[in-house]
């Protein structure tokens, strides 16, 4: 099976005609003369049969692409492993000459067997022994490599890195699984046109044997062979392939998917966020070990549960290591004694949600649900920090300790998956997600188009509500915030605040009101409701035209909601039936607030649809990293906390954490506040811009001068130049941007395309004076005077050269061709 392919044209050889056209024509004419000029000496006999077609191939040094496919593996009685594989280019043409290609940079071959769990103690005992893996319940199979070494600690080059406390407390010898890399072309022979055989340099039993690690060959077990082949250091697309093959030696057949172990798919999980632009270092591509390994299957034969780092005692088990990296808690010493420090990584989703990576869709790997089963290193990757001082370093010693887990006794199925509880410990890990999903199913609502009456200053809309009682009466509803944001047909305008009036119940921004439906019909409430056959009709009064004058002047815009439902996320005696909405004041339940998003509706004078703002980013671009229905309430509460500005106060209607109503990040909900017009936030400098496009670009590009809620820099896992990560091809329209208003920051402004580009390239003039000069020379406004840029009239000419498809288009200069 092949894990990666490329598409490039190749230099012809062996069967491809390399002559110039005039040479072909000349030779054809000579041949014709030869045929017609011969004297007729009679018939020379019947034509013979056609010969076999010549073999077509390309020399490995001339190929412009490289594909590898392992076609079979055999292991003889002596334990020698022979791997058959084919090399072709992207067009399927055989690649010849590998067996004698002395310029070959690397070929690494690994082999492992799939066994019951091999565990490791922390730190490894002095005799090198490992825990035997005995225990109850369904066992998770793991890879055990045949190639292993016991590695002693080496020199460490910390440099400027400040290591965590007691980082070397567990320093000592550790087992490390590996692959064979030293043999090169000496182990390769050709078996046909583009076909080869690699024979491992020694029998399986001749590799170093380590006490406590069972590397006995068993032909009945599933085995995995992996290959890393790199022609030269440089262009990954032309030079490198990763390939693998799962097989059962006893039958000689390739293993069925259910006989192997693949928990996540690289494309479905990792590459949703990470980049596979392996030749672009600025994209932080997910390629490791000297730029040789990118396929997850190749990672598994080395990052085994029993492998560790001798300098720190840290595990290098793949699952545990990945968990700790994404939790920003991993530190180890890599090759050459250099620290590998991930303590300041920023993970964009909920780190407690296993299903951010462990996806179980129809096309998921066969073992996608294997994360249900207990596994020591995976469990300890999160729970080790809670271990008591007398902990013996094992999962058994931690989870069987009743002072730590008092429910453990008599509740084995809580960790060990069996017929009683096939979900194992994941029944707890999934509890919050399950309760949230149950709440979203039970409370799926729809907001109907609203009507705004400027004479009465009232907004009326109907809510289709699935609950048994209205939101304001339902004990399961914590809050139900609805926003109404005015829209002039081109862009939102949050507007400044009216400092002379603190009495508005909807906040003081001129074009946006926010209200909680749970206060409906309360004493002195400005919200009233009437239940009818079509749903619940709400009338919102008290919209002050002096305070919300832009709202009143526009008279149209959009409605959306953000519902907070209380749910029970507690699992009792493995009973998951209670993971449903519960009363918010429940003393027995583990109450969480599940966020339920709704639709986006319009409001206008007659309740008709309003044309939405042009969608300029893909929602899935955000979801890929931030997960669905992302909640940024905690980020917003950093401006003004709920204690100072409670949700039901004037300022709190916008600045408390709770009523931040954005759930979908590309439908205009965010832009309703984060827009280019002058507002209460226009006093922020450009390098901390409030406008959405400026803010988002600065955050992901790492150019923002200050972040309010953390001092950590964003570790964006892709290139900031990769517009395609967030934008579809037709969503970046520089000509259309010319009709948008300028971005206002204090007493200066920036034309729209300049604002978008400068947020990465020149957040200050001092940072990139030449870029600023380029903006200005081509009609752009950078830190100009207010009113200098007039939409659709001023001469911002960015689109002339930088539209997609032009010679200097943004797609070209950003490498998106």
């Amino acid at each position: 099976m092949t894990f990666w392919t490329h598409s490039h044209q190749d230099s012809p050889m062996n069967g491809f005609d390399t002559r110039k056209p005039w040479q072909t024509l000349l030779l054809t004419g000579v041949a014709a003369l030869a045929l017609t000029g011969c004297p007729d000496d009679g018939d020379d006999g019947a034509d013979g049969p056609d010969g076999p077609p010549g073999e077509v191939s390309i020399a490995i040094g001339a190929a412009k692409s490289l594909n590898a496919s392992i076609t079979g593996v055999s292991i003889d009685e002596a334990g020698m492993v022979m791997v058959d594989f084919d090399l072709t280019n992207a067009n399927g043409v055989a690649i010849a000459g590998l067996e004698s290609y002395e310029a070959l940079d690397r070929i690494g071959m690994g082999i492992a067997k799939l066994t019951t769990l091999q565990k490791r103690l922390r730190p490894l005992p002095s005799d090198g022994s490992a825990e035997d893996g005995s225990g109850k319940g369904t066992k998770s199979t793991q890879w055990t490599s045949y190639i292993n070494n016991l590695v002693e600690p080496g020199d460490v080059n910390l440099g400027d890195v400040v290591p965590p406390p007691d980082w070397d407390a567990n320093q000592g010898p550790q087992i490390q699984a590996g692959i064979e890399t030293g043999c090169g072309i000496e182990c390769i022979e050709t078996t046909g046109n583009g076909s080869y055989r690699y024979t491992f340099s020694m029998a399986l039993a001749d590799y170093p044997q380590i006490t406590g690690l069972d590397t006995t060959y068993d032909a009945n077990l599933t085995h995995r062979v992996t290959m890393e082949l790199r022609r030269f250091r440089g262009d990954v697309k032309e030079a490198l392939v990763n390939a693998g093959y799962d097989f059962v030696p006893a039958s000689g057949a390739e293993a069925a998917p259910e006989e192997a172990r693949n928990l996540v798919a690289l494309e479905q999980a990792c590459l949703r966020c990470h980049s596979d632009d392996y030749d672009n270092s600025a994209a932080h591509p997910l390629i490791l070990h000297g730029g040789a390994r990118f396929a997850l299957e190749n990672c598994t034969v080395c990052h085994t549960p029993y492998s560790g780092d001798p300098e720190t005692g840290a595990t290098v088990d793949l699952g545990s290591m990945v968990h700790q990296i994404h939790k920003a808690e991993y530190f180890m010493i890599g090759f050459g004694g250099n620290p590998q420090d991930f303590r300041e990584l920023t993970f964009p989703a909920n780190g407690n949600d296993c299903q951010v990576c462990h996806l179980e869709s129809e096309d998921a790997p066969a073992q996608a649900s294997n994360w249900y089963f207990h596994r020591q290193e995976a469990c300890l990757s999160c729970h080790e920090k809670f271990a008591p001082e007398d902990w013996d370093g094992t999962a058994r010693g931690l989870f069987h300790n009743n002072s730590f887990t008092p429910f453990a006794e008599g509740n084995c199925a809580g960790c060990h998956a069996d017929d009683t509880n096939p979900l194992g410990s994941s029944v707890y890990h999934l509890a919050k997600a399950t309760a949230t999903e149950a709440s979203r199913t039970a409370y799926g609502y729809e907001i109907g188009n609203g009507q705004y009456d400027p004479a009465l200053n009232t907004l009326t809309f109907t809510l289709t509500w699935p609950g048994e009682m209205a939101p304001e009466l339902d004990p399961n509803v914590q809050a139900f915030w609805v926003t109404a944001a005015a829209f002039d047909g081109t862009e939102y305008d949050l507007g400044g605040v009216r400092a002379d009036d603190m009495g508005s119940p909807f906040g003081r921004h001129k074009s946006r009101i926010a209200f909680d439906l749970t206060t409906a019909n309360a004493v002195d409430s400005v919200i009233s409701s009437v239940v009818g056959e079509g749903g619940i009709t709400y009338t919102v009064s008290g919209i002050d035209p002096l305070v919300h004058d832009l709202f009143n002047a526009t008279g149209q815009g959009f409605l959306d909601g953000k519902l907070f439902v209380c749910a029970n996320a507690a699992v009792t005696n493995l009973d998951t039936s209670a993971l449903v909405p519960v009363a918010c004041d429940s003393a027995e339940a583990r109450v969480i607030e599940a966020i339920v998003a709704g639709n986006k509706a319009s409001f206008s004078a007659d309740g008709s649809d309003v044309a939405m703002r042009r969608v300029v980013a893909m929602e899935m671009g955000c979801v890929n990293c931030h997960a669905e229905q992302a909640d940024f309430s905690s980020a917003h509460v950093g401006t003004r906390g709920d204690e100072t500005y409670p949700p039901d106060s004037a300022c709190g209607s916008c600045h408390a954490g709770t009523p931040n109503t954005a759930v979908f990040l590309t439908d205009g909900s965010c832009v309703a506040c984060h827009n280019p017009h002058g507002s209460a936030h226009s006093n922020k400098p450009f390098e901390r811009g409030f406008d959405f496009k400026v803010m988002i670009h600065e955050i992901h590009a790492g150019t923002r001068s200050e972040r309010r809620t953390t001092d950590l820099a964003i570790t964006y896992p892709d290139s900031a130049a990769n517009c395609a990560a967030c934008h579809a091809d037709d969503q970046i329209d520089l000509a259309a941007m010319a009709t948008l208003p300028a971005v206002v920051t204090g007493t200066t402004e920036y034309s729209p395309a300049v604002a978008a580009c400068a947020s990465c390239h020149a957040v200050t003039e001092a940072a990139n004076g030449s870029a600023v000069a380029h903006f200005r020379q081509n009609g752009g406004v950078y830190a100009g005077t207010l009113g200098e840029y007039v939409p659709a009239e001023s001469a911002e000419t960015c689109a002339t050269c930088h539209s997609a498809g032009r010679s200097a288009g943004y797609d070209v200069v950003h490498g998106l061709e």
Side-chain angles (χ1 to χ4, degrees):
M1 60 189 299
T2 301
F3 293 144
W4 196 34
T5 60
H6 311 295
S7 295
H8 291 270
Q9 297 299 317
D10 292 90
S11 301
M13 176 179 169
N14 295 346
F16 285 95
D17 197 337
T18 61
R19 293 168 294 199
K20 298 287 192 284
W22 65 267
Q23 293 175 310
T24 303
L25 180 62
L26 177 60
L27 291 173
T28 302
V30 171
L33 288 173
L35 289 172
T36 57
C38 292
D40 186 3
D41 293 330
D43 189 354
D44 61 354
D47 293 337
D50 293 338
E55 292 184 330
V56 178
S57 63
I58 298 172
I60 186 170
K64 297 299 183 183
S65 58
L66 190 63
N67 291 337
S69 177
I70 296 177
T71 57
V73 181
S74 59
I75 303 176
D76 64 18
E77 293 182 356
M80 296 298 295
V81 182
M82 291 150 284
V83 182
D84 295 318
F85 63 96
D86 293 338
L87 286 185
T88 64
N89 73 349
N91 296 321
V93 179
I95 292 179
L98 175 64
E99 78 284 357
S100 59
Y101 189 61
E102 295 185 356
L104 184 68
D105 178 71
R106 173 189 180 92
I107 183 168
M109 303 291 289
I111 181 168
K113 62 179 179 178
L114 192 60
T115 66
T116 55
L117 190 60
Q118 291 275 4
K119 300 180 179 179
R120 64 186 284 273
L121 296 172
R122 299 187 186 189
L124 189 73
S126 58
D127 63 358
S129 62
E131 199 173 323
D132 63 8
S134 63
K136 301 177 181 180
T138 303
K139 289 294 180 185
S140 176
T141 54
Q142 296 293 315
W143 296 106
T144 298
S145 177
Y146 286 98
I147 305 173
N148 303 278
N149 288 287
L150 191 62
V151 182
E152 298 287 342
D155 295 333
V156 177
N157 307 311
L158 288 174
D160 297 331
V161 175
V162 178
D166 302 323
W167 64 277
D168 56 351
N170 292 326
Q171 190 175 84
Q174 290 286 342
I175 304 173
Q176 288 188 348
I179 61 176
E180 180 173 285
T181 59
C183 194
I185 60 174
E186 294 179 5
C187 287
I188 299 174
E189 59 182 304
T190 181
T191 59
N193 186 31
S195 298
Y196 303 92
R197 173 170 293 166
Y198 181 97
T199 301
F200 278 72
S201 62
M202 61 182 73
L204 294 177
D206 293 337
Y207 288 102
Q209 303 297 302
I210 299 174
T211 303
L213 185 62
D214 181 11
T215 54
T216 305
Y217 171 58
D218 185 342
N220 295 306
L221 296 177
T222 297
H223 284 60
R224 169 169 290 175
V225 163
T226 62
M227 176 172 69
E228 301 166 7
L229 190 151
R230 183 168 60 197
R231 289 190 297 159
F232 55 84
R233 290 183 181 270
D235 189 339
V236 172
K237 294 179 180 178
E238 293 189 9
L240 175 69
V241 289
N242 283 189
Y245 187 81
D246 296 336
F247 67 106
V248 180
S251 66
E254 184 175 5
E258 58 270 15
E259 296 177 296
R261 175 180 168 84
N262 294 296
L263 269 66
V264 298
L266 183 71
E267 294 79 9
Q268 292 176 341
C270 312
L271 295 184
R272 288 175 59 193
C273 225
H274 288 279
S275 173
D276 62 351
D277 189 359
Y278 298 116
D279 289 313
N280 181 4
S281 60
H284 314 294
L286 200 60
I287 185 168
L288 304 166
H289 294 281
R293 188 176 307 158
F294 54 81
L296 286 180
E297 292 83 351
N298 288 52
C299 301
T300 58
V301 298
C302 290
H303 289 277
T304 58
Y306 56 81
S307 295
D309 174 40
E311 285 78 24
T312 63
T315 179
V316 295
D317 167 71
L318 185 61
S320 177
M321 184 177 67
V322 170
H323 288 171
Q324 293 182 66
I325 286 174
H326 289 88
K327 290 166 62 232
E329 295 176 356
Y330 193 65
F331 179 88
M332 57 98 64
I333 304 299
F335 294 107
N338 298 311
Q340 305 297 308
D341 189 357
F342 295 93
R343 292 171 295 161
E344 294 191 351
L345 182 137
T346 53
F347 187 57
N350 181 359
N352 295 324
D353 186 354
C354 305
Q355 292 181 312
V356 169
C357 298
H358 290 283
L359 306 174
E360 297 180 47
S361 59
E362 292 183 359
D363 55 350
Q367 291 77 35
S369 62
N370 271 24
W371 71 276
Y372 295 166
F373 310 142
H374 73 290
R375 199 170 67 82
Q376 172 160 292
E377 294 303 320
C379 297
L380 295 182
S381 65
C382 289
H383 294 283
E384 181 177 350
K385 68 171 82 173
F386 303 111
E389 291 184 2
D390 60 349
W391 177 50
D392 67 359
T394 68
R396 179 182 297 145
L398 179 62
F399 290 99
H400 288 202
N401 184 334
N402 283 351
S403 63
F404 174 67
T405 52
F407 60 84
E409 188 171 352
N411 194 26
C412 300
C415 290
H416 304 269
D418 59 15
D419 292 340
T420 304
N421 174 30
L423 295 179
S425 59
S426 70
V427 72
Y428 300 104
H429 298 124
L430 287 172
K432 184 174 181 180
T434 302
T436 298
E437 187 60 32
S439 298
R440 289 174 178 171
T441 299
Y443 282 91
Y445 62 90
E446 182 176 356
I447 297 176
N449 279 0
Q451 288 184 275
Y452 178 66
D453 187 335
L456 299 177
N457 304 125
T458 58
L459 175 66
T460 304
F461 64 94
T462 298
L463 173 71
T464 301
W465 180 250
E468 296 181 358
M469 57 189 74
E472 62 269 22
L473 302 175
D474 193 330
N476 299 348
V477 174
Q478 180 69 41
F480 190 173
W481 283 90
V482 175
T483 59
F487 182 67
D488 67 4
T490 300
E491 186 60 279
Y492 292 93
D493 182 355
L494 181 62
V497 297
R498 292 295 298 252
D500 58 342
D501 191 315
M502 294 291 290
S504 171
F506 306 118
R508 295 181 293 140
H509 287 296
K510 296 183 177 183
S511 68
R512 180 183 185 273
I513 64 174
F515 46 91
D516 182 0
L517 290 185
T518 62
T519 63
N521 293 330
V523 177
D524 298 327
S525 174
V526 295
I527 306 173
S528 61
S529 63
V530 176
V531 179
E533 292 185 1
I536 307 172
T537 299
Y538 288 90
T539 299
V540 183
S541 57
I543 303 173
D544 192 335
L546 296 178
V547 177
H548 304 288
D549 52 350
L550 291 178
F551 188 97
N552 189 68
T554 304
Q556 67 172 24
F558 298 101
L559 294 164
D560 49 25
K562 186 174 185 179
L563 172 65
F564 294 82
V565 173
C566 294
N568 179 16
V571 179
T572 306
N573 295 324
L574 306 180
D575 179 14
T576 59
S577 62
L579 300 180
V580 295
V582 296
C584 295
D585 60 357
S586 173
E588 294 78 23
R590 175 194 168 199
V591 178
I592 63 165
E593 289 183 351
I595 297 169
V596 184
N599 60 306
K600 201 169 194 71
S602 302
F603 71 88
S604 60
D606 59 1
S608 59
D609 289 336
V610 176
M612 289 187 64
R613 180 183 187 272
R614 194 172 72 88
V615 177
V616 296
M618 301 180 294
E619 185 68 24
M620 281 306 301
C622 304
V623 169
N624 281 338
C625 288
H626 292 287
E628 293 183 355
Q629 299 191 27
D631 179 34
F632 289 90
S633 295
S634 59
H636 287 75
V637 78
T639 300
R640 292 176 171 82
D642 287 356
E643 293 181 2
T644 305
Y645 296 94
D648 57 354
S649 71
C651 295
S653 66
C654 291
H655 291 291
T658 302
N660 159 43
T661 56
V663 173
F664 301 111
L665 303 181
T666 62
D667 68 349
S669 299
C670 299
V671 182
C673 284
H674 292 276
N675 52 61
H677 290 284
S679 70
H681 300 276
S682 64
N683 60 329
K684 293 182 178 179
F686 185 80
E687 63 267 27
R688 286 197 296 119
F690 183 75
D691 176 62
F692 199 53
K693 60 180 174 292
V694 173
M695 180 180 70
I696 292 300
H697 286 167
E698 289 178 351
I699 288 174
H700 290 87
T703 57
R704 199 165 181 80
S705 63
E706 179 183 337
R707 296 183 63 213
R708 188 180 62 245
T709 57
T710 178
D711 59 358
L712 293 178
I714 288 288
T715 51
Y716 183 54
D718 200 342
S719 168
N722 183 15
C723 309
C726 301
H727 303 280
D729 290 342
D730 60 347
Q731 289 180 330
I732 303 178
D733 187 338
L734 297 181
M737 289 186 72
T739 64
L740 299 178
V743 173
V744 176
T745 59
T747 59
T748 62
E749 68 179 24
Y750 298 72
S751 52
V754 165
C757 298
S759 57
C760 286
H761 295 288
V763 291
T764 65
E765 189 164 359
N768 193 344
S770 60
V772 174
H774 176 78
F775 297 150
R776 290 170 175 161
Q777 288 167 0
N778 291 277
V781 175
Y782 183 99
T785 58
L786 295 181
E788 181 175 345
Y789 183 79
V790 180
E793 295 182 13
S794 297
E796 185 186 61
T797 60
C798 306
T800 303
C801 297
H802 298 300
S803 290
R806 301 294 177 89
S807 60
Y810 71 84
D811 52 336
V812 176
V813 297
H814 286 171
L816 304 177
E817 296 176 282

